[in-house]
Amino acid sequence: MARRFLTVFSIVLVLGASLALVACGGGGNKLEIYSWWTAGGEAEGLKALMDVYHKQYPNVQIINATVAGGAGTNAKAVLATRLTGGNPPDAFQLHAGLEVQKYDPEKYLVPLDDLYKSQGLDKVFPQDLLSLLQYKGHYWGVPVDIHRANVLWYNKKLFADNRLQPPATWDEYFKVSKVFKAKKIIPMTMGTKEGWESCHVFETVLISVLGPDGYKGLWTGATKWTDPKVTDALNLYKNMLADINTDHAALSWDQALQYLLDGKAAMFIMGDWTNGWFTSKNFTGYGWECVPGTKVFDGLSDSFALPKKAPHMQNALNWLQVCGSQAGQAAFNPLKGSIPARTDVDPSLFNPYSQSAMKDWTSEPIAPSVMHGAAAIEKWATVYKDIMNTFATNLDVSTTQQALDQAAKDNLAM
Ligand code: GAL
């Protein structure tokens, strides 16, 4: 009887222990990768990167832990809780730039300077990116890509059928919008469901109206948010919002983009993950221009970071090596729509859009994206996001400008 009890007791113990291990992801030869890449292009790019890893480490089981929601609006909050709760994934998506401040890196993350040295990473990424990647004197993430935020995508057939040229100025933009509107075609499609998309578009309008230096100054205190040019930018953006689809609040960025693919909308302002999305749909009927008035590269970069408590530390370090490798970047970026962070990946692997982005990255002034982690600490970027999301429905220029100014005062004082 006693033996039977002991056997049952040990089975329960073993079962309980394995369940606990599964629950915290600690057991077995695994690798949990955390990101928000679930949309077309994003998901394919991530899978291709994981396939490169899998070829080198076939015995490791990869757990693709995604929390959907463009720009990481949902994923970042969940991740912060996991980090502080001592239950982190093995590696997670992190924008290059000030976003890392949110995760208290000195407490929760492993500085990657040794990896940069041993892999020669400080020699293969452009200097602008290397500077953006450093925070408090350390590298905290290995970048996989460089994305451009200020792209105006358009449906080529709709422009050709209506004998229109893609707009190079805002005057032209409003003229073509009028033509499309009269034909019951949505001039500009937008999805504001996740709360960040409107801020993304406004960021590009700010760069257009203030220029790259004026825009950069907004995040350092050199440009005042009370500047009349910010008022101009808000008014311009307000006029743009008058021509977007009425169901924008119900759609995510990729759902809104479907209108352009279906020939129901003419234009779309979004980062070049859009290029990856089109590729994933085998759609080639799109053209691109920079957002009017922005011969500037509004840039951002996705990297992967390493929590101090990563349950499978060696597997995670190997993942970071794959992320930074030529093979990894060559597999990932053509599907993701981005250009590689490395400067030595063969450009012929990329479609014409990406080849043009590669040229622009090296020739145009660079402005760091605020909506995608580069320009400001996360707390400020979040307040900015909420203010601009509200603007998309209340269209109140003066209250919005005051709120933006207050947000700057609160955060610059920190
Ligand atoms: C950005 C991210 C991109 C893309 C986009 C939409 O923040 O850097 O890689 O995923 O969100 O989800």
Side-chain angles (χ1 to χ4, degrees), residues 36-37 42 69-72 93 95 145 147 196 253 273 300-302 336 371-372:
W36 59 85
W37 286 333
E42 301 180 338
Q93 184 184 350
H95 284 128
D145 64 23
H147 268 302
W196 61 275
W253 70 271
W273 39 94
L300 61 123
S301 168
D302 295 297
K336 183 67 167 66
M371 199 51 255
H372 304 281

Side-chain angles (χ1 to χ4, degrees), residues 171-191:
D171 278 353
E172 288 172 17
Y173 170 87
F174 286 111
K175 269 187 200 139
V176 301
S177 292
K178 215 170 161 187
V179 176
F180 286 126
K181 219 172 163 182
K183 299 215 164 165
K184 304 250 177 301
I185 294 163
I186 302 162
M188 167 69 63
T189 177
M190 203 187 279

Side-chain angles (χ1 to χ4, degrees), residues 92-169:
F92 67 90
Q93 184 184 350
L94 170 73
H95 284 128
L98 286 171
E99 183 174 294
V100 69
Q101 187 262 4
K102 174 186 172 82
Y103 301 121
D104 200 349
E106 284 158 317
K107 192 162 172 197
Y108 293 110
L109 306 185
V110 179
L112 300 172
D113 311 78
D114 290 347
L115 185 77
Y116 269 64
K117 272 219 185 81
S118 68
Q119 301 297 303
L121 296 180
D122 44 355
K123 311 242 162 22
V124 291
F125 300 137
Q127 196 48 55
D128 285 312
L129 182 57
L130 286 168
S131 315
L132 191 64
L133 284 158
Q134 281 186 42
Y135 178 74
K136 297 205 169 167
H138 298 290
Y139 295 113
W140 301 100
V142 174
V144 284
D145 64 23
I146 295 171
H147 268 302
R148 180 176 196 157
N150 57 320
V151 189
L152 183 141
W153 307 93
Y154 62 93
N155 181 306
K156 281 202 288 199
K157 185 169 182 315
L158 286 180
F159 272 79
D161 288 353
N162 291 285
R163 295 203 180 81
L164 293 169
Q165 293 298 320
T169 65

Side-chain angles (χ1 to χ4, degrees), residues 98-304:
L98 286 171
E99 183 174 294
V100 69
Q101 187 262 4
K102 174 186 172 82
Y103 301 121
D104 200 349
E106 284 158 317
K107 192 162 172 197
Y108 293 110
L109 306 185
V110 179
L112 300 172
D113 311 78
D114 290 347
L115 185 77
Y116 269 64
K117 272 219 185 81
S118 68
Q119 301 297 303
L121 296 180
D122 44 355
K123 311 242 162 22
V124 291
F125 300 137
Q127 196 48 55
D128 285 312
L129 182 57
L130 286 168
S131 315
L132 191 64
L133 284 158
Q134 281 186 42
Y135 178 74
K136 297 205 169 167
H138 298 290
Y139 295 113
W140 301 100
V142 174
V144 284
D145 64 23
I146 295 171
H147 268 302
R148 180 176 196 157
N150 57 320
V151 189
L152 183 141
W153 307 93
Y154 62 93
N155 181 306
K156 281 202 288 199
K157 185 169 182 315
L158 286 180
F159 272 79
D161 288 353
N162 291 285
R163 295 203 180 81
L164 293 169
Q165 293 298 320
T169 65
W170 288 112
D171 278 353
E172 288 172 17
Y173 170 87
F174 286 111
K175 269 187 200 139
V176 301
S177 292
K178 215 170 161 187
V179 176
F180 286 126
K181 219 172 163 182
K183 299 215 164 165
K184 304 250 177 301
I185 294 163
I186 302 162
M188 167 69 63
T189 177
M190 203 187 279
T192 59
K193 186 179 170 190
E194 286 161 353
W196 61 275
E197 305 87 338
S198 167
C199 333
H200 177 114
V201 177
F202 184 59
E203 157 179 332
T204 71
V205 175
L206 279 174
I207 294 174
S208 173
V209 178
L210 284 101
D213 290 337
Y215 162 83
K216 280 192 259 179
L218 290 171
W219 309 107
T220 61
T223 309
K224 298 276 165 271
W225 283 88
T226 48
D227 192 298
K229 285 191 180 159
V230 175
T231 323
D232 293 347
L234 283 165
N235 279 316
L236 197 160
Y237 185 45
K238 182 176 172 176
N239 292 338
M240 285 173 71
L241 288 171
D243 290 342
I244 67 171
N245 41 314
T246 48
D247 60 350
H248 62 91
L251 305 178
S252 59
W253 70 271
D254 47 325
Q255 290 170 332
L257 185 50
Q258 188 69 38
Y259 280 142
L260 191 147
L261 189 148
D262 293 341
K264 293 180 180 153
M267 297 177 282
F268 181 63
I269 292 179
M270 186 44 68
D272 50 14
W273 39 94
T274 305
N275 178 39
W277 188 87
F278 285 139
T279 305
S280 78
K281 307 280 174 210
N282 291 318
F283 178 66
T284 52
Y286 65 102
W288 62 89
E289 283 294 334
C290 49
V291 169
T294 62
K295 282 256 170 267
V296 174
F297 199 104
D298 179 8
L300 61 123
S301 168
D302 295 297
S303 76
F304 277 90

